Amino acid sequence: MKITGYRTLRTHRDWGRPVGDVNGFIASGITEVPIVIVETDEGIEGVAVGSDHDIARIFPALEGQDPRGVSGLYDRMLAHVFKAGHNGATFGGIATLDAALWDIKAKALGEPLWRLLGGRDRFVPGYASGLDIALSDERLADFYAAMAERGFTSGKLKGGRDVETDLRRLRIVQEQLARNTQHPALMLDANESWNLKQAVRYVSAVEAEIDLTWIEEPLRRWDAHGHARLSQSVRAAVATGENLTGLEQFRALFDLGAVDVVQTGAVWGITHFLRLAYAAHARDLPISPVGLTSNPAVSHAAAAVPNHLTAEVQDLGMPFGVLVDEHVDEGGIILGDAPGAGLTVDEQAIGAAVHDGDWLQSAGPHVRPLRAGLSLAAERRAGSSPATHRDA
């Protein structure tokens, strides 16, 4: 079997609510979703959702190769962009091609990917995550009530601006999830918005009233020394790593004992997840993938590693024109038996659709505010946008 080509298309996801974090939000709730399809000379095609960045530059590393040699081809893609480097958005393009190759390999064997990777149980434990910074208290309660109906016992709040606001909203999440357990697990995600001492003060204030399971991305992603000091200063576990693009970027976090829950963005792909999971396992650390809505294939990898803790479940729907052989229930993801990663794409419907995807709008959560981490007071002035706020 040989790789002969690829094609890309873009669809959209309608979240049905504003989505974002402390850095900004998408008011429309419409986001773009790239799809990559890798073609072979035997007619088996690999389908992956994630990123199409730099695909044209990366693909020559795959053309004419046997797609079943996935691990070797992953290294070949990294080597192909050696001079410029694979970090940043390029890593997303590599990851999406990688996921498509795993899809091909499992389809060729007629197996669901989770079984090919060595998984015994099709169930992937998860936690609810509403990307909820812009939701009213009422809509926040509605989202976590719906997730509680699916059996979830843990939830993650986007916050980091104001302690009192976060305490109130954490209690809302707690109340909704309490229908399934007396002690819901509560996590708070600050999305790299603090400096070290801000983080210590803020988390300590929250922990005075609520038992946090973890604090997520409290500091800049590369600040291993800061994360280590924070972990020693608070009770909550420190969870970070989702924005690190490459296994080598975790070295300092591991060496300094700076991470308690190792996270990886699902958009960074299957091979990266597997390698990071085993690196974490060697250090007795759990791993947790972030954003499975961005790359549902990583759910299959999560089912196959010994130290998977929980996976972020942000939505119950799928992008327009995409079907995934899985369903959310019992507080997690139940994977299906379709060969491969279970993705089916209606290319004709997607091609005919007209939509306005605005995930990359300037006010969205992909743009860091210039003064993030540089305020004496964490809270924002009333009516100011977190993406545009400036201190007087």
Side-chain angles (χ1 to χ4, degrees), residues 165-380:
T165 297
D166 286 349
L167 284 170
R168 185 185 75 248
R169 290 165 69 82
L170 282 167
R171 291 189 183 100
I172 291 172
V173 177
Q174 184 179 48
E175 181 181 359
Q176 298 307 317
L177 298 177
R179 68 184 68 185
N180 297 326
T181 177
Q182 289 184 338
H183 302 287
L186 301 175
M187 294 85 87
L188 180 65
D189 189 353
N191 288 100
E192 304 187 43
S193 62
W194 298 327
N195 61 44
L196 173 60
K197 287 301 184 177
Q198 279 179 324
V200 173
R201 297 198 328 268
Y202 202 108
V203 176
S204 296
V206 172
E207 288 186 321
E209 299 192 32
I210 288 181
D211 184 29
L212 277 183
T213 300
W214 77 51
I215 180 65
E216 183 169 324
E217 287 200 309
L219 311 174
R220 296 312 303 269
R221 62 199 72 175
W222 52 74
D223 187 1
H225 287 278
H227 281 99
R229 290 174 62 189
L230 177 62
S231 182
Q232 295 165 6
S233 301
V234 299
R235 296 195 311 270
V238 170
T240 192
E242 70 173 272
N243 286 313
L244 297 181
T245 53
L247 185 60
E248 67 282 356
Q249 294 188 6
F250 286 82
R251 287 177 181 170
L253 291 173
F254 288 149
D255 291 345
L256 295 173
V259 56
D260 303 305
V261 177
V262 179
Q263 294 183 306
T264 177
V267 73
W268 305 137
I270 293 170
T271 298
H272 173 68
F273 174 86
L274 293 172
R275 293 182 179 184
L276 181 59
Y278 287 116
H281 186 51
R283 296 164 172 85
D284 296 315
L285 292 171
I287 191 165
S288 176
V290 173
L292 292 181
T293 54
S294 300
N295 186 351
V298 172
S299 302
H300 292 252
V305 299
N307 56 331
H308 174 256
L309 177 63
T310 184
E312 183 179 36
V313 180
Q314 302 165 327
D315 197 32
L316 300 177
M318 295 295 166
F320 176 79
V322 177
L323 295 176
V324 183
D325 185 29
E326 64 179 34
H327 64 282
V328 176
D329 203 0
E330 301 175 22
I333 299 167
I334 302 174
L335 302 170
D337 286 317
L343 279 75
T344 303
V345 176
D346 187 338
E347 295 185 63
Q348 184 175 0
I350 292 172
V354 177
H355 65 277
D356 295 315
D358 58 358
W359 178 247
L360 297 179
Q361 67 179 350
S362 61
H366 282 181
V367 179
R368 178 177 170 83
L370 294 178
R371 296 288 299 173
L374 295 175
S375 297
L376 292 178
E379 61 265 33
R380 311 282 183 178

Side-chain angles (χ1 to χ4, degrees), residues 29-269:
I30 305 293
T31 60
E32 288 186 323
V33 180
I35 300 172
V36 177
I37 301 174
V38 175
E39 304 160 345
T40 71
D41 60 356
E42 295 189 12
I44 300 176
E45 294 186 334
V47 180
V49 175
S51 169
D52 56 9
H53 186 83
D54 246 2
I55 294 285
R57 187 164 69 97
I58 302 164
F59 183 75
L62 303 179
E63 192 166 16
Q65 301 294 311
D66 188 325
R68 293 168 293 188
V70 184
S71 184
L73 291 176
Y74 179 80
D75 290 326
R76 186 178 174 90
M77 287 189 285
L78 295 180
H80 190 75
V81 296
F82 164 73
K83 199 68 175 178
H86 63 259
N87 297 330
T90 296
F91 199 60
I94 291 172
T96 310
L97 289 169
D98 171 73
L101 297 181
W102 279 111
D103 188 44
I104 291 172
K105 183 168 184 172
K107 285 176 177 175
L109 294 172
E111 291 277 14
L113 183 56
W114 60 269
R115 186 173 290 131
L116 170 67
L117 293 173
R120 181 188 62 84
D121 190 343
R122 70 181 69 237
F123 179 72
V124 179
Y127 64 90
S129 177
L131 306 174
D132 42 40
I133 196 77
L135 296 185
S136 66
D137 287 2
E138 182 180 6
R139 296 192 70 183
L140 183 74
D142 289 344
F143 174 83
Y144 285 97
M147 299 303 271
E149 290 176 1
R150 298 296 180 112
F152 285 93
T153 59
S154 52
K156 184 172 77 183
L157 181 77
K158 295 288 190 180
R161 296 184 202 163
D162 174 67
V163 172
E164 295 305 320
T165 297
D166 286 349
L167 284 170
R168 185 185 75 248
R169 290 165 69 82
L170 282 167
R171 291 189 183 100
I172 291 172
V173 177
Q174 184 179 48
E175 181 181 359
Q176 298 307 317
L177 298 177
R179 68 184 68 185
N180 297 326
T181 177
Q182 289 184 338
H183 302 287
L186 301 175
M187 294 85 87
L188 180 65
D189 189 353
N191 288 100
E192 304 187 43
S193 62
W194 298 327
N195 61 44
L196 173 60
K197 287 301 184 177
Q198 279 179 324
V200 173
R201 297 198 328 268
Y202 202 108
V203 176
S204 296
V206 172
E207 288 186 321
E209 299 192 32
I210 288 181
D211 184 29
L212 277 183
T213 300
W214 77 51
I215 180 65
E216 183 169 324
E217 287 200 309
L219 311 174
R220 296 312 303 269
R221 62 199 72 175
W222 52 74
D223 187 1
H225 287 278
H227 281 99
R229 290 174 62 189
L230 177 62
S231 182
Q232 295 165 6
S233 301
V234 299
R235 296 195 311 270
V238 170
T240 192
E242 70 173 272
N243 286 313
L244 297 181
T245 53
L247 185 60
E248 67 282 356
Q249 294 188 6
F250 286 82
R251 287 177 181 170
L253 291 173
F254 288 149
D255 291 345
L256 295 173
V259 56
D260 303 305
V261 177
V262 179
Q263 294 183 306
T264 177
V267 73
W268 305 137

